Amino acid sequence: MSTVTDRTPLLENGHGAQPPKPFFARLADSLSVQGQPSWLASYKFFLFGSYLNILLVFVPLSFLSHFLDWDAALRFSFSFIAIMPLAALLGTATDQLSLKLGQTLSGLLNASFGNAVEIIVGVAALMQGQLRIVQTSLLGSILSNILLVLGCSFLAGGIKFPESNFQVTAAQASSSLMTLACITLVIPAAYHSAKSHSGLGGDDGVDTVINGTIKAAVDAKIDLGLDNLDADSIHGLKIISRGTAILLLLVYIAYLVFQLKTHAFLYTAEVQAEEEAEEPKMNILAAGSGLLLATVITSFCADYLVASIEETADRYSIPKPFIGLILLPIVANAAEHVTSVWMAMKNKMELTIGICVGSSIQIAAFVVPLLVIVGWITGHDLTLFFADFETIVLFVSVLLVNFLIQDGKSNYMEGLMLITLYLVIALAFWVS
């Protein structure tokens, strides 16, 4: 039995104890792949883990068609198809990283990369001055998630099970935030409507705008419906949009804290379903490098895709709003669509709600404000003003989803309603 004296150390930092490792050694240990899947096994799973990856052959075709200046339809089609497996790879890498990073960090990671394709396509279109493509693709992603993907999931789950149940409180919290984001898009449209009918517009206002108030191209300005506003009104619209974007980002951060920390118990069923003895298939470094590689390649394919939209739309008489609202979101949401329907067929409807509504919230409260701020920094005046028709379409869609999920139950008839509304919207934008 050792005797304690005045010379006995308070902490056992001596007498054979190992000295602490240097910082870089500890960092290397945390990044070590020891005990994790090997690099070969990781990349084998990454590249060959899904039949969808067969479509990766279209990635080199997208590059070739761009550099050899093939027909616009080929450039558009090859880039369009190439982004589908790339979106799936981004999701795979993000999921594998999430398994190692814990709940909080994985939540932030999913917020950042959960809609990476939408962000990449949006930034590519923004840098090329295609403001309408940016707006319609983001709006289309929201509608695709809450109408098409959720509708197909309800339909698939309803065919297999008479009725599916999910946590009402969590679903209503998510749909309420979705409603808030929707209302923030109504306010700029209302402001625009009030100013455009107040007699402030006219030729002088258009001349002022053309002379430098809006830095984007004149075509983009007219396409956004700003040609009948004066300089002060457009300046006010930009202030409303940028201020709202900052506030929405703050609300989204609060929503992450609500979901992951303070009220995580509302999502416990969802978390438990996600963590059913899932073993990592990639080591953390391979997943990180795969995520980086897929992001870079996706950015090139998105750039080529956006560059070919104008010519493809003109040559083949396809409405640009239809391309942005219907076609581009199908690419971005392909992997989510399959996962959501698959979860619904397993009667994991809370996961389905989390994927569909959660992804829509990410776009409305994170991606849209982010692109407004990126446009502000880069001199591309993207605003939250959507055309009246688009605003109404979004509002009634969110309204229908709120009605259908408020009872905490779903069936195939509700799925059919959501799909029908989506098809009607697609038809309306085809003839717009």
Side-chain angles (χ1 to χ4, degrees), residues 205-222:
V206 176
D207 291 339
T208 305
V209 172
I210 293 175
N211 286 333
T213 304
I214 290 292
K215 297 177 183 178
V218 177
D219 289 341
K221 170 185 70 63
I222 294 173

Side-chain angles (χ1 to χ4, degrees), residues 143-316:
L143 296 178
S144 173
N145 277 306
I146 64 175
L147 295 182
L148 181 63
V149 181
L150 188 60
C152 288
S153 301
F154 280 0
L155 181 63
I159 291 174
K160 192 168 183 182
F161 304 99
E163 199 170 65
S164 298
N165 300 309
F166 49 87
Q167 168 64 262
V168 182
T169 309
Q172 285 183 339
S174 300
S175 63
S176 297
L177 181 55
M178 187 69 243
T179 306
L180 170 65
C182 173
I183 292 172
T184 60
L185 298 182
V186 174
I187 293 173
Y191 174 85
H192 169 269
S193 179
K195 287 295 184 180
S196 62
H197 292 91
S198 64
L200 294 176
D203 294 336
D204 293 338
V206 176
D207 291 339
T208 305
V209 172
I210 293 175
N211 286 333
T213 304
I214 290 292
K215 297 177 183 178
V218 177
D219 289 341
K221 170 185 70 63
I222 294 173
D223 202 16
L224 286 171
L226 302 178
D227 54 318
N228 57 345
L229 294 183
D230 66 354
D232 290 337
S233 299
I234 294 174
H235 181 65
L237 195 59
K238 289 191 288 184
I239 290 176
I240 292 172
S241 298
R242 292 164 182 174
T244 302
I246 294 171
L247 292 172
L248 278 177
L249 285 175
L250 293 176
V251 170
Y252 184 69
I253 293 171
Y255 172 70
L256 286 180
V257 175
F258 177 87
Q259 186 180 29
L260 299 174
K261 195 171 181 65
T262 62
H263 288 69
F265 61 89
L266 295 176
Y267 302 86
T268 50
E270 179 180 329
V271 172
Q272 288 170 0
E274 286 179 311
E275 295 180 347
E276 280 182 357
E278 188 174 355
E279 292 291 329
K281 301 292 178 60
M282 299 178 69
N283 66 63
I284 191 167
L285 289 180
S289 59
L291 182 64
L292 180 63
L293 180 64
T295 302
V296 171
I297 296 176
T298 303
S299 66
F300 280 103
C301 289
D303 200 47
Y304 303 154
L305 177 69
V306 172
S308 64
I309 286 176
E310 190 87 39
E311 189 178 346
T312 303
D314 292 340
R315 181 174 296 184
Y316 297 95

